[in-house]
Amino acid sequence: MPNLIIVRHGQSEWNLQNKFTGSTDVELTSTGEMEARNAGRLIKKYDLDEAYTSVLVRASHTLNIILTEIGKTTIPVTKTAAFNERSYGDLQGLDKLEMIKKYGPAQVLTWRRSYDVVPPNGESLKDTYDRVVPYYIKEIEPKLRANKNIIIVAHGNSLRALMMYLEKISETKIADVNLATGVPRLYEFDSGLRLSQVSYIH
């Protein structure tokens, strides 16, 4: 029975500085590297056949650390912009607390958590869903059906979009879902690719 593991990248420099990061390419902090190593230790007992990540360095660096930790550096790795973080547009690089002072907490929360509200010149979670899920269906589902175990290391919003699809989370309920950095989430499927169990790996 195939397994899918998803991991949000470790803490990035702009996570630490409380900035809107989005599609900006920033590196991991030392804490983020530690989170990636810990994720690898948690994943070590699971066999992996292939890996997917975004083209942004914080995700690919996290994946590299995980694969090194579990001794799987030779498995095929696919980097795709389909799994990139959503763009926050004009908010990228700006301090979240400053934006709360400027626009109010309700507006900032709506930009961050709602399904179809677009930040100025950015992407909504719906926009992200519309690139993540078709890619997953086309490229990854056939490999799971072929009984391959897959890991995806990506970003908070690209993975939340995938969680919506896999776990049938509604457009309203997804606002309450937050994926912590560096904590692996395991999806176990039956032979018909029906989801049999979902859990965090601790």
Side-chain angles (χ1 to χ4, degrees), residues 62-131:
T62 299
L63 175 61
N64 289 343
I65 291 170
I66 289 171
L67 294 181
T68 299
E69 189 70 34
I70 67 176
K72 287 278 189 175
T73 54
T74 59
I75 67 170
V77 173
T78 301
K79 295 183 181 183
T80 173
F83 286 141
N84 279 10
E85 180 59 293
R86 67 184 275 208
S87 169
Y88 276 106
D90 296 346
L91 301 178
Q92 291 187 172
L94 301 178
D95 184 277
K96 290 175 184 174
L97 290 178
E98 291 300 318
M99 292 304 97
I100 288 170
K101 288 177 187 174
K102 185 173 182 179
Y103 295 106
Q107 178 63 72
V108 172
L109 187 65
T110 299
W111 280 332
R112 292 185 65 197
R113 290 289 172 209
S114 68
Y115 179 65
D116 55 5
V117 176
V118 183
N121 296 310
E123 284 183 298
S124 66
L125 182 59
K126 180 183 184 301
D127 296 327
T128 311
Y129 184 101
D130 288 345
R131 61 176 160 81

Side-chain angles (χ1 to χ4, degrees), residues 15-30:
N15 291 148
L16 179 62
Q17 294 170 32
N18 203 34
K19 292 180 179 181
F20 282 98
T21 310
S23 57
T24 310
D25 208 5
V26 298
E27 249 293 9
L28 297 177
T29 61
S30 56

Side-chain angles (χ1 to χ4, degrees), residues 132-172:
V132 167
V133 174
Y135 181 90
Y136 173 83
I137 291 170
K138 182 184 176 188
E139 300 293 335
I140 297 177
E141 279 191 351
K143 293 182 177 177
L144 292 167
R145 289 185 190 281
N147 217 32
K148 290 190 172 181
N149 297 315
I150 306 290
I151 183 170
I152 302 172
V153 178
H155 305 267
N157 285 293
S158 54
L159 293 175
R160 284 171 72 233
L162 186 58
M163 289 169 72
M164 286 183 72
Y165 171 72
L166 292 171
E167 301 178 41
K168 297 180 170 51
I169 301 170
S170 72
E171 295 173 11
T172 51

Side-chain angles (χ1 to χ4, degrees), residues 1 145 189-194:
M1 304 302 153
R145 289 185 190 281
F189 300 93
D190 67 15
S191 56
L193 211 61
R194 288 177 293 269

Side-chain angles (χ1 to χ4, degrees), residues 28-70:
L28 297 177
T29 61
S30 56
T31 297
E33 292 176 349
M34 182 180 69
E35 288 174 338
R37 283 192 294 274
N38 185 57
R41 285 192 285 273
L42 293 171
I43 291 167
K44 192 172 283 188
K45 60 182 179 242
Y46 297 92
D47 192 34
L48 294 174
D49 299 301
E50 291 195 35
Y52 287 80
T53 188
S54 77
V55 300
L56 301 175
V57 67
R58 61 190 184 274
S60 58
H61 189 182
T62 299
L63 175 61
N64 289 343
I65 291 170
I66 289 171
L67 294 181
T68 299
E69 189 70 34
I70 67 176

